[in-house]
Amino acid sequence: MPKSRRVFSLLLEDRKAKLVQSRRRPGRYELSVDGIPQSVVSMTDPTDLEYDYTQHIARVMDAAAEPGAPLFTVHLGAGALTLARYVEATRAGSPQLVVEFEPTLYEAVIAALPLSPGTDLRVIFGDARAVADAKLAGEWMGARFTVVDLWDAAVIRHRVASQEFYRRVAARSAAEGVVAVNLLDGHPFEYSRRQSATLRTVFDHVAVVLDAEPNDDEGPLGNVVVFASDEPLAVATNPDLLGVPHPHTLHGDALTSWIAGARIMTDADGTDSPDPDDPIWD
């Protein structure tokens, strides 16, 4: 007989969130909101990451400090805390901060999938832009690594993807801090190119990692991760960092060519990320 699935359902005002355990891989859970997958987490091995984009971010995290050394990490958007659990598993006791808009969802996830004992994780409940705009506070200052994963279901709102927003994130980062922005896009990657151009106006070094062929005009939507820092990025200086097969990594002149004059995004001239349900992606 097939193993039963543990399913946790939760209503969030007019939306529905669900945690479902894998039948084939006990201890592995997928979080979805309104039927859209958000996170996959392994409770038996938090370093076993399902999505390619989480693997890419984790490899860059690995290079951000000596193995096992503490890494103050900020997560803008909680999901199922996949990367927070990864940091704790690989750098036990690292201070971490989460900014999460939906406390009911966060508390339900923690109740169903508790963090490891000893995890040093604090939470600020609220809109990430409002928190970023607030007076600088000690609890979010000097971040060594910041993960920007701010989804409203399947769309990123422009107010958390503008030059003004990223300047506030940069102001709260350590001098050597790295920022990783998770996007969803497809050819011609107009949104990701604009995001890359915007981050280049805020940080000295930017690199883009995508698993899709950058020039494939028939490729589907996929995750695009933009890394930014005022220090050289390991993902740009070490081509083997992300493993084999290598995803496409753009930086320096190749990134300049790819951006190709894309306009920066400001509060006054920004757009939401592509909607996966738009017919143009069919």
Side-chain angles (χ1 to χ4, degrees):
M1 292 180 63
K3 296 182 179 179
S4 61
R5 307 180 85 182
R6 293 181 69 194
V7 180
F8 304 87
S9 296
L10 176 69
L11 287 175
L12 304 171
E13 295 181 357
D14 60 341
R15 298 194 294 164
K16 185 176 183 179
K18 184 180 290 187
L19 268 174
V20 180
Q21 180 176 219
S22 169
R23 284 196 180 98
R24 296 181 179 179
R25 306 174 73 175
R28 197 176 193 86
Y29 292 82
E30 180 181 81
L31 171 68
S32 62
V33 177
D34 291 342
I36 300 168
Q38 303 288 316
S39 305
V40 173
V41 61
S42 171
M43 296 299 288
T44 56
D45 181 6
T47 67
D48 183 10
L49 303 174
E50 175 81 7
Y51 298 143
D52 289 340
Y53 85 89
T54 58
Q55 295 173 22
H56 302 332
I57 295 173
R59 297 294 82 78
V60 179
M61 281 179 169
D62 292 344
E66 291 298 318
L71 185 73
F72 176 30
T73 308
V74 173
H75 307 267
L76 304 184
L81 296 166
T82 303
L83 286 169
R85 298 174 197 272
Y86 179 87
V87 171
E88 176 59 21
T90 57
R91 302 175 180 276
S94 289
Q96 300 190 72
L97 176 69
V98 166
V99 178
E100 170 57 39
F101 183 68
E102 296 181 295
T104 306
L105 175 60
Y106 176 87
E107 290 162 3
V109 167
I110 292 298
L113 308 177
L115 295 171
S116 300
T119 299
D120 180 6
L121 187 143
R122 293 162 294 155
V123 186
I124 298 175
F125 292 118
D127 174 77
R129 178 59 188 267
V131 174
D133 284 347
K135 183 179 179 181
L136 294 180
E139 56 194 354
W140 179 11
M141 280 299 294
R144 293 282 304 281
F145 206 103
T146 303
V147 180
V148 183
D149 206 4
L150 293 168
W151 296 85
D152 180 1
V155 174
I156 302 169
R157 302 303 175 188
H158 70 273
R159 63 193 300 275
V160 289
S162 66
Q163 182 187 60
E164 291 87 345
F165 175 71
Y166 290 132
R167 282 175 175 167
R168 287 155 176 76
V169 173
R172 295 175 182 267
S173 298
E176 73 280 18
V178 177
V179 174
V181 183
N182 178 37
L183 310 174
L184 186 70
D185 203 1
H187 187 84
F189 295 101
E190 179 181 358
Y191 182 79
S192 297
R193 290 166 47 238
R194 291 192 68 187
Q195 283 287 282
S196 301
T198 302
L199 284 157
R200 267 191 159 184
T201 69
V202 179
F203 296 92
D204 292 338
H205 300 271
V206 173
V208 171
V209 175
L210 64 169
D211 292 287
E213 166 58 53
N215 299 312
D216 180 2
D217 60 6
E218 296 183 354
L221 278 170
N223 288 90
V224 178
V225 184
V226 186
F227 294 97
S229 178
D230 284 333
E231 295 294 326
L233 289 158
V235 71
T237 59
N238 180 3
D240 296 326
L241 179 66
L242 300 181
V244 178
H246 295 145
H248 297 279
T249 303
L250 304 172
H251 56 88
D253 291 343
L255 180 57
T256 299
S257 176
W258 187 68
I259 290 173
R263 303 190 325 277
I264 67 170
M265 288 194 186
T266 66
D267 285 345
D269 185 26
T271 60
D272 295 343
S273 67
D275 188 333
D277 293 330
D278 193 304
I280 66 172
W281 305 114
D282 291 341

